[in-house]
Amino acid sequence: MIGHSASATDPGRRRRRNEDAFVCEPPLYAIADGMGGARAGEIASRLAAAAVREGGGEGGPEERVRTLIQEANARVHQRANEDSSASGMGTTMTVALVEEGRVTIGHVGDSRAYLLRGGVLEQLTDDHSLVGELVRSGKLSPEEAESHPQRSVITRVLGTEPDVDVDTFSVATRPGDVFLLSSDGLSSMVADEAIGSTLGRHRGDLDAAARALVDAANRNGGEDNITVVLFELAARLGDTAELPPAPVGPERADDEDTLSGLDAVPAADEIAVGWDPGADSYEPAAVPGGPRRRRLLVASLVFLALLAAASLLALWGLSRAHFVGAESDGHVAVYQGLPYDVAGVRLYRSVYVSRLLAAQLSQRERRSLFDHDLIGQRSALREVKSLEAEVIP
Ligand code: MG
């Protein structure tokens, strides 16, 4: 049976409005993260949450959850078509329904459902995002995805099409399980390990856990609206608070150490280190001497010249390299440069922004378009424009 439930939502530190909405009405839980100009994102997420709250549906739990999300999609899509100020709006939607020893999840977008079991946090949903698809196809490591400049671009969304493809699945529950639904304002600011350890620390008080997760996202920058919904499966009637605080999963912490965001830094730094010819001839300065000093000077000059050459080569490469990605509002775009941020500096700029939305493409089309390969500007533009001709009526 369901134990405690808790929720928290916060606009974060950068946004004035909160475009997230949620449902926390046991046995039904949901998160919606809206997007669109003006107040359209707010309208979309609230419409979707209301549809889930009101919806009944028939059949088995997966079918009911799918029906709820389809109904939410239909309402958002209809409103977007009727109201020109809301045109193009959309929302993510992740629903959890608890019933007879199972939690059934329905999911569209990049909000997430997690399960904390035995102290280990597991992400249950796939992110329907550009970087999520690149990770699943092996083009990006999960660590690269966490710092990818286009990590907020989603590829499947409610409201932009009359029908939406919904992921559904069920998880058999165990007493003591804690489920977490969250918007990307949490997962983009707080690593899974930290989410797991925060939940573990506040295992006995889900309200405190929800607040602590929001606080952690704000401490790390709070760049987006943050919403969390938590519920637990009680061990026995009334004894949920006595569950021991769960230890935090050690195996995930291990991969974190082996790969860091620095792996995404391109070769310029490595060139600089590898080409240090001063390393051989350099000796403690305690021994002064004309020839030695001259050698050192020459070596330094050679080093600087090589560094300048490497930088020019890198700049030349950057000016030639193009890749296809998408803007944060979902519009497909062609970029010049490399698809990375280094110390907060973008190594790319957009040279063409299409009317085409990433979410309008089929998964196969997205896979071939957003393959992360570096190509010439002309072929990048050709790829995007031929899809525009096919997809945009
Ligand atoms: Mg968001």
Side-chain angles (χ1 to χ4, degrees):
M1 65 163 290
I2 304 173
H4 294 293
S5 306
S7 59
T9 187
D10 189 90
R13 294 200 161 159
R14 298 285 184 85
R15 312 265 171 112
R16 291 214 344 260
R17 317 198 70 93
N18 191 340
E19 301 191 324
D20 288 354
F22 67 93
V23 178
C24 185
E25 297 179 1
L28 187 64
Y29 304 88
I31 288 260
D33 176 353
M35 62 213 64
R39 301 185 55 181
E42 248 173 299
I43 298 173
S45 63
R46 275 154 192 66
L47 274 175
V52 166
R53 222 175 266 128
E54 294 160 19
E58 292 180 352
E62 288 198 28
E63 200 183 329
R64 288 205 325 267
V65 163
R66 184 176 289 114
T67 308
L68 286 177
I69 295 180
Q70 292 288 5
E71 172 61 22
N73 180 67
R75 289 197 201 179
V76 177
H77 185 249
Q78 189 187 2
R79 177 69 173 271
N81 281 350
E82 287 168 0
D83 178 354
S84 63
S85 71
S87 120
M89 71 177 175
T91 181
T92 72
M93 176 117 263
T94 302
V95 174
L97 174 66
V98 189
E99 206 179 69
E100 291 163 17
R102 304 190 76 75
V103 170
T104 301
I105 307 280
H107 169 69
V108 174
D110 68 347
S111 299
R112 289 182 175 177
Y114 291 95
L115 166 61
L116 182 75
R117 172 179 289 173
V120 177
L121 187 79
E122 184 193 357
Q123 182 183 339
L124 299 174
T125 46
D126 284 336
D127 295 341
H128 299 144
S129 65
L130 208 58
V131 292
E133 289 181 0
L134 288 168
V135 168
R136 288 194 288 284
S137 67
K139 294 267 179 180
L140 273 188
S141 72
E143 291 76 15
E144 285 170 328
E146 275 175 23
S147 59
H148 196 280
Q150 296 181 357
R151 59 187 176 274
S152 64
V153 175
I154 66 173
T155 49
R156 217 194 286 175
V157 69
L158 251 69
T160 55
E161 302 291 329
D163 280 306
V164 66
D165 193 12
V166 181
D167 289 354
T168 58
F169 55 90
S170 289
V171 180
T173 58
R174 291 193 203 156
D177 281 351
V178 177
F179 287 81
L180 161 67
L181 306 182
S182 61
S183 61
D184 68 330
L186 176 72
S187 51
S188 63
M189 290 288 119
V190 186
D192 287 3
E193 293 75 24
I195 294 176
S197 61
T198 303
L199 280 178
R201 252 198 323 280
H202 298 282
R203 178 63 190 82
D205 181 352
L206 289 191
D207 289 299
R211 282 194 304 275
L213 289 172
V214 167
D215 290 347
N218 275 327
R219 257 199 319 276
N220 292 350
E223 286 178 11
D224 195 3
N225 307 146
I226 309 142
T227 304
V228 302
V229 172
L230 288 163
F231 59 92
E232 67 185 346
L233 280 299
R236 278 189 306 275
L237 237 175
D239 68 355
T240 57
E242 284 150 34
L243 283 170
V248 176
E251 58 274 89
R252 289 204 170 207
D254 287 341
D255 347 343
E256 176 79 345
D257 287 337
T258 53
L259 272 175
S260 72
L262 288 177
D263 292 292
V265 175
D269 284 357
E270 288 156 30
I271 293 170
V273 172
W275 277 96
D276 185 357
D280 285 336
S281 57
Y282 191 85
E283 279 181 17
V287 194
R292 192 178 292 273
R293 194 170 271 189
R294 248 197 315 278
R295 271 208 305 279
L296 196 61
L297 184 68
V298 170
S300 305
L301 286 174
V302 168
F303 172 67
L304 285 175
L306 285 170
L307 191 66
S311 307
L312 281 175
L313 196 68
L315 280 177
W316 181 78
L318 278 178
S319 72
R320 304 276 295 177
H322 289 75
F323 65 99
V324 180
E327 298 279 283
S328 57
D329 62 2
H331 286 274
V332 173
V334 173
Y335 298 93
Q336 181 190 59
L338 299 173
Y340 299 110
D341 279 346
V342 174
V345 178
R346 285 185 164 191
L347 295 186
Y348 60 93
R349 65 187 183 99
S350 69
V351 292
Y352 176 72
V353 179
S354 169
R355 286 181 298 137
L356 191 63
L357 290 164
Q360 285 176 298
L361 302 173
S362 72
Q363 195 171 0
R364 200 158 45 87
E365 286 166 335
R366 284 197 302 270
R367 199 168 289 163
S368 76
L369 192 62
F370 303 124
D371 56 4
H372 232 233
D373 287 344
L374 295 177
I375 51 180
Q377 180 170 21
R378 214 177 307 161
S379 35
L381 285 172
R382 200 183 317 122
E383 276 186 37
V384 171
K385 290 191 170 168
S386 80
L387 273 172
E388 277 176 8
E390 262 176 62
V391 177
I392 300 178

